[in-house]
Amino acid sequence: MLNSHSQPVVLRGTGVSAGLVVGKVVRSHKSMAKLPDFPIQPAQLEAERERLRTALNESRQQLENMQERLAAELSEQHAEIMTFHLMLLDDPTLLTNIDAILRTDLVCVEQATIRAIERFSQDISQKNNAMLRERAGDIRDVGARILRNLAFPAAKEAETAPIRDAEPHVLVAEDIPPSEAAHMDPRLIAAFITAGGSRTSHTAILARALGIPAIVAANGIDILEPGAIVALDGATGEIHVNPDRDTIAAFLQETDRQKAWLSSLLAENHQPAETLDGYQTCLVANVELPSEALTLRERYNVGIGLFRTEFLFLNSCKVLNEEEQFEAYKTTAEAVYPMSVIFRTLDIGGDKFLSLIDMQHELNPFMGMRAIRFSLHRPDLFRVQLRAMLRASAFGKVRIMFPLISTLDELIHALEHLEEVKQDLRRRCIPFNEKLEVGCMIEVPSAAILAERLVNHVDFFSIGTNDLVQYSLAVDRSNPDIAYLYQPPHPAILRLIRNVVTVACEHGKWVSLCGEMAAEPLYTPLVLGMGIHELSMSPVAIPPIRRLIRSINMYDAENLVAEALHCGSADEVEVLCRKLIAKACPEMLPHTKK
Ligand code: PEP
Ligand code: MG
């Protein structure tokens, strides 16, 4: 085992959520514990204030220690960052706001701090001054530190050690199921490393949604003892254990460079995703957490191409009733308006389980009672969800789609349920959008091959490459040992996608692609050249993909596809893609899959 006094070592894994973090290893899921959220009585105010004072003193002490260390080991310039954090800790506005929220909202100090920090950083993000806007991140960092100290106070150190510490926590685990990842709090967990997992596992997808840098399929994690310092790069998958001062300095420098790059990309948000020769495509977001939807329009200027509704259930640990679902869908539809949102009906099963819904143990869950199969098996739950979605359609631009359609019968049955729910709403004079568009996901080879049988029943197709690849190439999408066989640009996959797009276009329908393939810059020329109308991806992937599209010619992308369709392997296709990107937008090459 390595601890904080051992020699530097480098471990490697697959980077699945970008970001650089220097932090301390924790091995306990306790550190993912939810922050307290409870109402208080006026008589408890003083006790809450005292907790805040203690946490602030702790935070101050930690920052001063770090400042000293940075000045001694790195440079005065790095130590300066801590000066700003220390100033924030003493900022009278912040403290007055926390106290005002405590008094008026009568909530525990953790919640008062969260609200005050959120307001403070939002105020700053809206300023015209770019330097100030960049400070919004520092405010959240300081907020996270205060919250960590509130959650793991010094008095309990012995009990919770080594969870509580000045350094951000890097959770290390054999594997983390999506149901647990859904509860991770980025203010408590700065990054995670697992031995299992893959790029398209739902845990990795959630890490990107939560903005938590993550590395999966990491080798040798057994040597990571609680308390060891690691510097990890969630893009390259490199983990420096007990990094030396040069490595830490390089990390801090690279963090600054990436922040500046991201800022320049975000400034292009209002430009269309249009190729140099004038072909426009639509970029939209995949959303797992309802809270993400609230900031999407403002931050990325996009709507939602895939709302994975199962995470509403996984997050709240219960089966939501119609009213609860309606509220969540309505809030989302209103938040992204005038842009649209595609709600996907429940896709549980596979690697996503809800302990509250009784599901049989299956030998092969990805091939089993999953997604639309489960909804058709439990029409009581399915109809409640359809009702809630339809009712929300009166409040924004809502579309609905069904996951994992593998036969025409399934699609017809799902549509029959939808029609019956509509009839009932009409009878009761409950408003919904009569022109609501309905689509089906293409995730199973049979659906891709028989697209021409499905097309007349839907308004659009949405290609889910995460599953289409696993089912077409017989590769479990979450098994790291066979990840080398998981190849989205495999010519067989390209031919399936090509068929779906051709059929849709012949029938005047549109096609979206919402698997992770849409978020990988290396494949952007391919999906563009195949004529996909809409690309849906993790919000963080949108700015770089937009810039890449704006640097490419559709003419070149179409030629690339023509060649790729005749290649014999995914490797050959990737060579072609890399060549095109090297010529059109070389700055994107370091961000492509290795
Ligand atoms: C897909 O399969 O590509 C998809 C988007 O659905 P999920 O990842 O939720 O299975
Ligand atoms: Mg899928």
Side-chain angles (χ1 to χ4, degrees):
M1 285 284 230
L2 283 174
N3 57 36
S4 44
H5 309 296
S6 306
Q7 288 301 304
V9 175
V10 180
L11 302 178
R12 274 169 228 286
T14 307
V16 294
S17 179
L20 296 138
V21 171
V22 180
K24 197 161 245 190
V25 168
V26 293
R27 307 276 314 209
S28 163
H29 284 223
K30 245 199 214 170
S31 49
M32 283 161 54
K34 269 182 99 141
L35 283 163
D37 183 1
F38 57 86
I40 57 165
Q41 300 296 326
Q44 290 169 279
L45 271 171
E46 204 33 56
E48 291 302 276
R49 286 187 184 122
E50 184 51 33
R51 288 178 58 218
L52 178 63
R53 278 193 287 273
T54 311
L56 289 173
N57 286 339
E58 271 289 295
S59 305
R60 195 170 294 111
Q61 188 67 54
Q62 291 161 357
L63 286 170
E64 282 169 1
N65 290 349
M66 263 166 87
Q67 192 176 36
E68 250 174 56
R69 245 181 40 215
L70 285 174
E73 293 177 15
L74 291 175
S75 68
E76 287 293 340
Q77 193 194 344
H78 287 111
E80 268 307 294
I81 304 171
M82 296 302 123
T83 310
F84 183 68
H85 284 202
L86 278 163
M87 272 164 52
L88 283 172
L89 271 188
D90 291 325
D91 188 298
T93 324
L94 179 65
L95 302 184
T96 316
N97 285 349
I98 298 179
D99 203 64
I101 296 169
L102 268 180
R103 272 184 287 114
T104 50
D105 296 2
L106 287 175
V107 286
C108 62
V109 68
E110 284 86 352
Q111 295 305 316
T113 306
I114 290 172
R115 290 177 203 178
I117 291 281
E118 213 27 64
R119 279 181 211 165
F120 198 7
S121 61
Q122 254 173 24
D123 282 353
I124 291 232
S125 335
Q126 278 155 13
K127 298 268 187 265
N128 271 337
N129 182 328
M131 275 252 291
L132 267 184
R133 279 202 310 271
E134 281 177 22
R135 289 302 191 198
D138 288 311
I139 294 170
R140 290 202 177 93
D141 283 353
V142 171
R145 178 176 297 281
I146 302 172
L147 289 169
R148 278 201 299 274
N149 284 315
L150 281 168
F152 308 114
K156 285 202 208 144
E157 187 169 9
E159 198 186 304
T160 54
I163 294 166
R164 180 203 151 269
D165 216 303
E167 265 87 13
H169 301 158
V170 175
L171 178 67
V172 178
E174 272 309 303
D175 214 348
I176 302 172
S179 51
E180 275 178 28
H183 294 287
M184 254 187 223
D185 190 325
R187 291 166 297 214
L188 299 180
I189 294 290
F192 69 80
I193 302 169
T194 58
S198 69
R199 198 174 168 75
T200 58
S201 66
H202 286 98
T203 295
I205 289 171
L206 273 167
R208 294 190 281 278
L210 289 160
I212 298 182
I215 296 176
V216 301
N219 290 317
I221 64 161
D222 288 348
I223 64 165
L224 293 174
E225 196 175 79
I229 299 290
V230 290
L232 64 90
D233 183 338
T236 63
E238 259 177 20
I239 306 157
H240 297 261
V241 191
N242 294 309
D244 55 24
R245 46 184 281 193
D246 289 348
T247 309
I248 295 188
F251 259 65
L252 293 176
Q253 222 160 32
E254 179 57 15
T255 306
D256 287 347
R257 199 196 62 74
Q258 287 189 8
K259 265 192 194 161
W261 191 64
L262 203 76
S263 230
S264 79
L265 290 172
L266 283 171
E268 294 167 11
N269 266 352
H270 287 274
Q271 299 184 340
E274 182 177 318
T275 61
L276 293 171
D277 46 358
Y279 175 89
Q280 263 202 33
T281 183
C282 181
L283 298 184
V284 282
N286 289 355
V287 163
E288 287 73 45
L289 311 161
S291 54
E292 278 180 283
L294 305 180
T295 53
L296 263 186
R297 225 192 48 201
E298 186 194 318
R299 193 163 160 74
Y300 297 102
N301 189 30
V302 295
I304 300 176
L306 165 63
F307 188 105
R308 290 180 162 101
T309 59
E310 55 278 9
F311 285 102
L312 277 178
F313 293 59
L314 286 168
N315 263 317
S316 48
C317 293
K318 64 177 197 168
V319 182
L320 302 186
N321 65 28
E322 181 182 325
E323 276 320 299
E324 290 164 330
Q325 290 190 55
F326 166 65
E327 270 310 315
Y329 304 146
K330 174 174 170 274
T331 310
T332 305
E334 287 175 337
V336 294
Y337 189 82
M339 299 180 190
S340 55
V341 47
I342 303 183
F343 290 121
R344 176 176 78 179
T345 60
L346 209 59
D347 180 3
I348 52 168
D351 61 350
K352 290 170 286 193
F353 290 99
L354 241 192
S355 51
L356 287 137
I357 296 180
D358 194 19
M359 294 178 80
Q360 297 282 329
H361 174 75
E362 293 176 292
L363 208 55
N364 214 337
F366 269 117
M367 303 281 229
M369 184 58 82
R370 198 195 146 183
I372 195 66
R373 301 167 183 185
F374 176 79
S375 290
L376 294 176
H377 175 69
R378 287 292 305 269
D380 51 331
L381 296 177
F382 189 37
R383 282 169 175 251
V384 165
Q385 183 167 47
L386 292 175
R387 261 178 89 88
M389 287 176 175
L390 282 168
R391 285 173 56 200
S393 74
F395 297 87
K397 290 190 185 156
V398 168
R399 296 168 175 148
I400 294 179
M401 71 179 173
F402 305 119
L404 211 78
I405 293 291
S406 60
T407 70
L408 175 59
D409 272 357
E410 260 172 348
L411 178 59
I412 289 175
H413 282 146
L415 289 168
E416 280 168 359
H417 282 293
L418 184 68
E419 192 45 47
E420 284 169 29
V421 175
K422 281 184 181 175
Q423 286 293 3
D424 188 53
L425 290 177
R426 283 185 199 113
R427 263 198 305 275
R428 295 168 197 265
C429 299
I430 299 175
F432 66 92
N433 176 12
E434 288 279 358
K435 297 202 177 100
L436 168 134
E437 287 190 324
V438 180
C440 79
M441 289 195 68
I442 304 287
E443 306 180 272
V444 183
S446 58
I449 293 165
L450 284 185
E452 66 185 80
R453 290 284 165 272
L454 304 176
V455 72
N456 286 326
H457 299 268
V458 292
D459 299 298
F460 64 92
F461 287 135
S462 182
I463 304 178
T465 47
N466 302 342
D467 279 314
L468 188 61
V469 173
Q470 89 162 336
Y471 295 128
S472 306
L473 304 181
V475 186
D476 178 345
R477 66 191 259 188
S478 43
N479 184 339
D481 297 335
I482 46 170
Y484 67 99
L485 286 172
Y486 189 91
Q487 301 168 335
H490 192 293
I493 303 294
L494 302 185
R495 288 182 188 211
L496 290 173
I497 297 178
R498 175 59 148 212
N499 183 51
V500 175
V501 178
T502 306
V503 167
C505 290
E506 280 170 5
H507 291 78
K509 308 288 167 79
W510 56 276
V511 184
S512 168
L513 193 148
C514 62
E516 292 305 305
M517 190 177 184
E520 170 51 59
L522 189 59
Y523 308 144
T524 300
L526 274 181
V527 292
L528 210 63
M530 280 192 289
I532 303 276
H533 304 97
E534 176 177 291
L535 296 175
S536 192
M537 62 197 81
S538 298
V540 286
I542 292 173
I545 297 284
R546 178 185 274 118
R547 181 174 289 178
L548 181 51
I549 291 173
R550 293 179 58 78
S551 319
I552 293 175
N553 271 306
M554 185 61 168
Y555 174 79
D556 294 333
E558 283 174 344
N559 283 341
L560 168 84
V561 169
E563 230 183 306
L565 285 167
H566 291 98
C567 283
S569 73
D571 286 352
E572 281 175 52
V573 177
E574 288 198 355
V575 170
L576 297 175
C577 295
R578 211 169 281 285
K579 226 162 84 186
L580 192 153
I581 293 175
K583 208 167 128 208
C585 192
E587 67 167 310
M588 211 54 75
L589 271 186
H591 303 278
T592 56
K593 174 178 155 290
K594 297 288 169 311

